């Protein structure tokens, strides 16, 4: 995902949304992409961009949240930061996950790169499937890795 391929993808999606909007057909996309400036330059200002969420995965045994040190025992912790009405960043904190295979411990392959979720909808799609805060958080929670098992 970079440069020209991102631009072509979004032009295609926006064309479909535009065409179906004038034909009064509901259409929605939930696009999952790396959080990069290429992506942001393609979608910022689009009338079809209804909601964004950025997910940052962080690993470790403790986390300084609002000045308070917190320790975790394998369960993920989430901190949400709103950026206006339709944009939020979710910071996940979890102990380093590991998988045990044949007695050997391996680190799971969860991405440490920020991932962006984009809700792209025409007007009719937005009316039928409005991405409320509760729905967005439900989708975001679906991306959480399982707890680290010892």
């Amino acid at each position: 995902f970079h440069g020209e391929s991102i631009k072509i993808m979004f032009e295609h999606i926006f064309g479909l949304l535009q065409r179906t909007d004038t034909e009064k057909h509901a259409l929605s996309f939930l696009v999952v992409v790396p959080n990069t400036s290429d992506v942001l330059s393609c979608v910022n200002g689009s009338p079809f961009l209804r909601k964004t969420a950025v997910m940052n995965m962080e690993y470790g045994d403790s986390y300084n949240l609002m000045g308070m040190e917190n320790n975790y025992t394998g369960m993920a912790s989430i901190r949400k930061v709103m950026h206006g009405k339709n944009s939020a960043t979710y910071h996940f904190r979890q102990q380093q996950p590991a998988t045990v295979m044949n007695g050997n411990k391996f680190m799971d392959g969860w991405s440490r790169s920020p991932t962006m979720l984009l809700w792209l909808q025409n007007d009719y799609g937005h009316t039928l499937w409005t991405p409320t805060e509760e729905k967005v958080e439900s989708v975001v929670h679906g991306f959480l890795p399982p707890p680290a098992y010892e």
Side-chain angles (χ1 to χ4, degrees):
F1 284 106
H2 57 78
E4 193 63 25
S5 64
I6 291 279
K7 182 180 176 190
I8 291 169
M9 178 186 72
F10 283 117
E11 285 175 356
H12 180 69
I13 291 172
F14 293 152
L16 292 171
L17 289 165
Q18 181 66 46
R19 188 169 46 252
T20 55
D21 204 29
T22 58
E23 296 169 358
K24 301 188 182 201
H25 294 286
L27 188 60
S28 292
F29 292 93
L30 173 57
V31 182
V32 181
V33 289
N35 182 18
T36 66
S37 59
D38 287 343
V39 170
L40 293 172
S41 68
C42 289
V43 299
N44 278 342
S46 170
F48 302 114
L49 180 62
R50 305 301 179 148
K51 192 74 93 172
T52 64
V54 176
M55 300 179 302
N56 289 321
M57 182 61 68
E58 301 163 350
Y59 293 104
D61 294 330
S62 63
Y63 189 41
N64 189 314
L65 180 61
M66 291 186 249
M68 298 173 59
E69 190 71 20
N70 296 289
N71 292 312
Y72 300 100
T73 57
M75 296 302 292
S77 172
I78 301 174
R79 180 172 54 101
K80 177 181 172 183
V81 178
M82 291 299 298
H83 308 285
K85 181 180 175 188
N86 293 317
S87 180
T89 300
Y90 296 83
H91 298 275
F92 301 126
R93 184 69 171 183
Q94 179 171 336
Q95 285 185 343
Q96 185 70 32
T99 301
V100 177
M101 294 175 61
N102 299 325
N104 296 313
K105 198 182 250 190
F106 298 93
M107 303 321 278
D108 284 338
W110 296 99
S111 174
R112 292 184 186 213
S113 300
T115 301
M116 185 181 304
L117 304 176
L118 304 169
W119 278 261
L120 303 173
Q121 302 175 302
N122 64 16
D123 289 338
Y124 296 96
H126 188 256
T127 299
L128 282 176
W129 307 297
T130 304
T132 64
E133 287 303 312
E134 295 79 23
K135 291 176 185 175
V136 170
E137 288 184 12
S138 179
V139 170
V140 167
H141 281 98
F143 281 89
L144 278 174
Y149 296 103
E150 294 300 324

